[in-house]
Amino acid sequence: MNTYVISRELLEQNIRQLKKQANGVPIWAVIKGDGYGLGALPLAELLADNGIERFCVTEVREAELLRENGFRDAQILMLRSVSDRETLHRLLDLGVILTVGSWETAQMIDALARERADIAEVHIKIDTGMGRYGFLPSEMEQVVALYRELKHLAIGGIYTHFNCAFADDRLTKQEFAEFQSVISQLRAAGLETGIVHCCNSSAFLKFPEMHCDGVRLGSAILGRMPFRTKLRPVGYLESEVEELHTVPKGHSTGYGAVWTAKRETRLAIVPVGWYHGFRVSCQPDMTRVRDCLRSAFSALKGILRRQRTYVEINGTRCPVVGAIGMLHCAVDVTEITCKTGDRVIVQMNPLHQKGVKVVYRK
Ligand SMILES: *Cc1c(COP(=O)(O)O)cnc(C)c1O
């Protein structure tokens, strides 16, 4: 059976490393997207066992899951604005900290809290470049008014989310400066900002000076960053050899016959395909000409270096041949000894796993 195996030990190692780098600044673990594929609840439980009990979510369901499973007092921050009344009621029932990203949302939450004779705990979102939720740094009047006029909001924090921290240091520093300017204007106006936070994983790892009062980490916990770090990827897909075939020279495998055997070849058929997340990646953004060029260049590099995809069978790296199918792939095992049922290890991001069982192992 296909299983996505997560190593507790490596996860704990990453958490220790991140805590060390946080140097006392609280870590808010982001468990959106079902804990980046690791399972929101088991991930949260492991984090809690390792001293992290602040969480960020994007769905009501994730908050419910935590509250229903013993996380009664954990702080949970909703990372996006919510405007649906029913959802807001549910979030307030669950004691979730809401995000206020516009004057309209703020008024809505304030009115709803008033109806409930309640105070809604919120963090304010500032838009320093992402352009989704949040007040622009030029909208300071509105931000100040939130503190002064909306009596049913308890503003416990303020944050921004960088759009280019993984790639553009100069832009990120500029965005940080704008965010800091918002904070100092609020302080100058005599307002209490609460927890100030801006770092996602990339910014956290690159810019210790931006850690402020808290950091929001997701992908770093999984050890999957687009640049070199001391973190380790925490999981892999485990499958097994389903069938073995020897095909003659000139025979092909897979759709499109994109590969043909240059010699008599022994093929191991493995029941893992793109449906399960194998070789699936986030589509590069092709909106800008420079991204198209970059993508074409990287494809060309792949062709010149004849980059292949490998899996591991019985401890040996073996090349995948032919097109990866929806549910299967073929592996050239001419050079190794293997039999049906042998273990196959496939490296892939848990974020993309689908239709496989997720297990935590030592
Ligand atoms: C997803 C998300 C994060 C975490 O991002 P990583 O790069 O995975 O650490 C932090 N903040 C916000 C607002 C997010 O949406």
Side-chain angles (χ1 to χ4, degrees):
M1 191 212 279
N2 290 335
T3 310
Y4 197 90
V5 181
I6 296 145
S7 158
R8 282 184 169 276
E9 201 172 313
L10 290 180
L11 255 178
E12 287 177 350
Q13 216 169 293
N14 285 350
I15 295 167
R16 271 199 300 279
Q17 177 63 32
L18 294 170
K19 282 171 96 170
K20 195 169 126 193
Q21 283 181 246
N23 198 17
V25 170
I27 293 174
W28 292 69
V30 181
I31 57 163
K32 65 188 180 193
D34 198 24
Y36 288 66
L38 267 55
L41 185 61
L43 178 60
E45 282 170 343
L46 185 137
L47 287 159
D49 288 345
N50 288 273
I52 296 181
E53 288 201 82
R54 293 177 174 86
F55 301 99
C56 298
V57 301
T58 57
E59 306 304 321
V60 181
R61 186 66 207 124
E62 293 157 349
E64 282 173 345
L65 202 62
L66 294 187
R67 292 291 187 236
E68 284 164 6
N69 287 280
F71 291 87
R72 224 169 297 157
D73 303 320
Q75 294 188 60
I76 304 176
L77 170 64
M78 181 64 164
L79 282 181
R80 60 177 171 87
S81 291
V82 172
S83 54
D84 174 63
R85 282 180 59 88
E86 203 180 318
T87 311
L88 281 172
H89 273 299
R90 185 74 189 123
L91 289 167
L92 290 176
D93 288 343
L94 291 164
V96 171
I97 305 166
L98 304 174
T99 284
V100 165
S102 74
W103 182 250
E104 197 187 349
T105 321
Q107 278 184 308
M108 185 162 185
I109 298 172
D110 185 65
L112 200 102
R114 179 158 14 94
E115 279 169 36
R116 295 165 58 101
D118 199 355
I119 300 283
E121 193 176 349
V122 301
H123 284 197
I124 296 173
K125 180 85 176 274
I126 302 297
D127 172 14
T128 52
M130 183 65 93
R132 298 196 299 215
Y133 308 104
F135 296 87
L136 293 170
S138 58
E139 295 173 323
M140 283 311 292
E141 259 172 59
Q142 280 186 22
V143 178
V144 169
L146 290 178
Y147 289 86
R148 298 223 165 114
E149 292 170 25
L150 302 180
K151 302 296 178 205
H152 290 263
L153 301 186
I155 302 171
I158 183 163
Y159 70 107
T160 186
H161 186 38
F162 298 130
N163 53 344
C164 285
F166 60 97
D168 192 331
D169 295 3
R170 196 188 50 81
L171 183 63
T172 305
K173 286 179 185 168
Q174 191 181 315
E175 291 187 17
F176 180 62
E178 283 187 40
F179 181 57
Q180 275 187 309
S181 143
V182 168
I183 304 302
S184 44
Q185 287 177 67
L186 291 173
R187 289 188 177 143
L191 299 167
E192 181 57 58
T193 57
I195 305 162
V196 174
H197 51 114
C198 59
C199 283
N200 58 355
S201 295
S202 293
F204 169 77
L205 293 166
K206 289 181 174 183
F207 309 112
E209 70 277 18
M210 298 184 191
H211 290 181
C212 304
D213 308 324
V215 293
R216 306 182 305 270
L217 307 183
S219 40
I221 298 170
L222 277 64
R224 288 183 186 266
M225 299 301 301
F227 48 87
R228 267 187 83 81
T229 65
K230 289 183 178 157
L231 307 163
R232 304 262 308 271
V234 297
Y236 55 82
L237 181 67
E238 191 178 86
S239 186
E240 53 187 43
V241 175
E242 211 62 88
E243 215 162 62
L244 285 154
H245 291 281
T246 301
V247 297
K249 182 178 169 184
H251 202 80
S252 62
T253 182
Y255 288 112
V258 297
W259 172 90
T260 44
K262 289 196 177 63
R263 54 172 181 179
E264 185 177 86
T265 303
R266 200 151 182 258
L267 296 177
I269 310 304
V270 179
V272 173
W274 48 259
Y275 175 84
H276 304 106
F278 187 25
R279 281 299 304 267
V280 171
S281 55
C282 301
Q283 279 297 309
D285 194 337
M286 297 291 208
T287 321
R288 298 180 300 187
V289 172
R290 80 158 110 131
D291 294 319
C292 297
L293 291 174
R294 192 176 287 153
S295 168
F297 180 67
S298 119
L300 183 65
K301 239 177 18 188
I303 293 164
L304 295 176
R305 289 191 190 151
R306 304 206 64 235
Q307 264 171 6
R308 312 180 79 170
T309 301
Y310 293 88
V311 298
E312 195 185 303
I313 300 181
N314 295 335
T316 308
R317 217 166 69 117
C318 305
V320 173
V321 292
I324 292 169
M326 180 173 172
L327 296 151
H328 323 267
C329 64
V331 183
D332 182 347
V333 291
T334 314
E335 306 291 337
I336 67 162
T337 45
C338 79
K339 55 182 190 314
T340 54
D342 280 356
R343 200 162 82 120
V344 181
I345 293 191
V346 179
Q347 293 298 339
M348 55 167 255
N349 194 325
L351 197 56
H352 303 304
Q353 63 78 13
K354 188 168 67 166
V356 309
K357 193 172 158 223
V358 177
V359 300
Y360 282 65
R361 280 193 203 146
K362 184 81 204 90

